[in-house]
């Protein structure tokens, strides 16, 4: 059960998803089960659950990555994107579920920072990472 490391992660369904059978694009939910690259279950606060391929389920990048990107590239960003990214970094620093939810909502509202602060989940990658740490 190596994929348990992703269970409980707050995630965002890709906002520009074209074929969304669950009609949850741009919605924030909790990853309940990361089964494979093609089947990852997300439960939504307003009820319901849907499954998506890993590239369509986005999570926040590590706050250190966000900070480094902000430090190195902040001066060349539009001001609104810089502010949004800075707020996301501060919310990540809090680490509470409410703050992480707010950070995902902020990323959803600012398409210019999505590539900088979001990454798709990859159960295989996380699985390999957890194996490496357990040795």
């Amino acid at each position: 059960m190596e994929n348990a490391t992703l269970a409980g992660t707050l995630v965002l369904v890709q906002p520009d998803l074209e074929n969304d059978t669950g009609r949850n694009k741009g919605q924030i939910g909790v990853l309940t089960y990361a089964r494979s690259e093609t089947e990852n279950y997300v439960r939504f606060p307003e009820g319901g659950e849907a499954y998506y391929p890993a590239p369509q389920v986005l999570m926040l990048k590590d706050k250190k990555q966000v900070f480094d990107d902000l430090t190195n590239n902040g001066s060349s960003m539009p001001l609104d994107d810089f502010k949004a990214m800075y707020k996301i970094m501060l919310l990540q620093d809090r680490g509470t579920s409410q703050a992480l939810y707010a950070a995902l909502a902020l990323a959803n509202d600012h398409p210019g920072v999505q590539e900088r602060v979001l990454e798709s989940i990859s159960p295989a990658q996380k699985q390999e990472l957890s194996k490496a740490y357990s040795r």
Side-chain angles (χ1 to χ4, degrees), residues 86-108:
Y86 185 73
K87 287 178 186 176
I88 289 168
M89 183 194 66
L90 291 176
L91 288 165
Q92 282 184 293
D93 204 35
R94 280 193 188 160
T96 65
S97 57
Q98 274 185 317
L100 295 176
Y101 189 95
L104 280 170
L106 200 55
N108 190 28

Side-chain angles (χ1 to χ4, degrees), residues 2-3 5-6 34-37 40 54 57 59 61-62 65 119-133:
E2 285 95 356
N3 290 339
T5 57
L6 285 174
R35 182 172 184 179
S36 66
E37 283 294 319
N40 299 281
V57 181
M59 62 185 215
K61 288 183 179 179
D62 183 64
Q65 283 180 280
E119 63 187 354
S120 67
I121 63 164
S122 178
Q125 180 184 2
K126 294 290 183 181
Q127 185 175 346
E128 291 302 316
L129 217 73
S130 66
K131 284 182 182 175
Y133 285 130

Side-chain angles (χ1 to χ4, degrees), residues 42-59:
V42 179
R43 180 170 296 278
F44 299 96
E46 59 279 344
E49 187 173 50
Y51 69 91
Y52 298 92
Q56 295 175 355
V57 181
L58 306 172
M59 62 185 215

